[in-house]
């Protein structure tokens, strides 16, 4: 339940940030750019991109879990659903409220779906798979995010203050929320005491 709640909240966070018009996170700059350039919805591009990224797992010998497959399919579906349901804000104050809520919801959602322990998202798995080949996780993450951001911006995705806010805030939020939301395996039952006759 935590996994699927997290994926739903992640889709809500994406929709809020896109609807704010103040700048998307790097991957959604790409998804929006692809949508604007080639058609199809942002959610459909989230699904397509997730599936393509998973193909890159093959040479990295990463193993997907049920959480990985669910991530690929459901985040895009939830993003499209919430983009359809949410009113588009006009006032700047409302747009900022959308953006701040999006970042907070994104941090909570990340803690939920990663903390469920049922497999990383395709983009997270790509990062950890490359890092496992002897590269710094910081360098790998930065290189991936900058490549995705630059490509999305060239395709027409929205880059702005929201992009910067997300980049600065999501790490600390996840750092705080992930330990609190990580599912602990149940403790093993103690061995029964031997019966003395």
């Amino acid at each position: 339940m935590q996994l699927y709640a997290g994926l739903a909240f992640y889709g809500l966070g994406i929709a809020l940030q896109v609807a704010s018009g103040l700048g998307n996170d790097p991957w959604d700059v790409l998804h929006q750019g692809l949508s604007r350039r080639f058609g199809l919805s942002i959610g459909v591009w989230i699904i397509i991109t997730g599936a393509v990224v998973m193909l890159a797992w093959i040479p990295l010998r990463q193993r997907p879990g049920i959480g990985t497959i669910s991530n690929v399919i459901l985040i895009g579906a939830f993003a499209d659903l919430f983009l359809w349901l949410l009113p588009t804000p006009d006032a700047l104050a409302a747009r900022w409220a959308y953006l701040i809520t999006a970042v907070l919801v994104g941090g909570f959602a990340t803690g939920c779906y990663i903390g469920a322990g049922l497999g990383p998202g395709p983009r997270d798995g790509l990062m950890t798979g490359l890092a496992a080949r002897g590269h710094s996780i910081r360098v790998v993450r930065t290189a991936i995010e900058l490549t995705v951001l630059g490509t999305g911006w060239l395709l027409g995705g929205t880059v702005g203050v929201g992009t910067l806010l997300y980049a600065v805030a999501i790490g600390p939020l996840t750092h705080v929320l992930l330990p609190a939301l990580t599912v602990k395996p149940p403790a093993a039952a103690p061995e029964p005491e031997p019966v003395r006759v």
Side-chain angles (χ1 to χ4, degrees):
M1 286 185 68
Q2 179 173 313
L3 167 69
Y4 294 110
L7 297 178
F9 275 115
Y10 206 93
L12 173 61
I14 289 170
L16 285 165
Q17 191 158 358
V18 169
S20 79
L22 294 171
N24 305 323
D25 74 86
W27 279 100
D28 291 319
V29 172
L30 175 64
H31 301 139
Q32 188 182 52
L34 288 166
S35 177
R36 287 176 171 173
R37 182 62 63 94
F38 302 110
L40 304 177
S41 68
I42 289 174
V44 170
W45 280 111
I46 291 171
I47 294 168
I48 292 170
T49 305
V52 170
V53 169
M54 272 193 65
L55 293 177
W57 284 31
I58 296 169
L60 296 173
R61 295 190 178 139
Q62 294 281 89
R63 289 179 175 264
I66 186 66
T68 311
I69 306 300
S70 299
N71 183 303
V72 170
I73 297 167
L74 292 180
I75 287 181
F78 281 122
D80 273 353
L81 173 65
F82 287 118
L83 280 167
W84 178 68
L85 289 173
L86 288 170
T88 303
D90 293 320
L92 186 59
R95 293 168 64 199
W96 269 98
Y98 267 39
L99 175 61
I100 292 167
T101 305
V103 174
L104 294 173
V105 167
F108 175 74
T110 301
C112 278
Y113 87 77
I114 293 177
L118 296 172
R123 296 153 187 84
D124 298 320
L126 175 64
M127 175 188 66
T128 55
L130 289 169
R133 293 292 184 270
H135 305 289
S136 160
I137 199 159
R138 184 184 311 143
V139 171
V140 169
R141 177 69 182 255
T142 303
I144 291 172
E145 298 281 321
L146 288 176
T147 301
V148 164
L149 177 63
T151 304
W153 178 70
L154 291 172
L155 290 169
T158 304
V159 177
V161 66
T163 311
L164 180 61
L165 179 62
Y166 187 92
V168 169
I170 197 65
L173 281 171
T174 304
H175 180 76
V176 170
L177 292 169
L178 181 57
L181 294 167
T182 297
V183 176
K184 313 288 191 293
E191 291 289 324
E193 291 286 329
V195 178
R196 293 175 184 256
V197 180

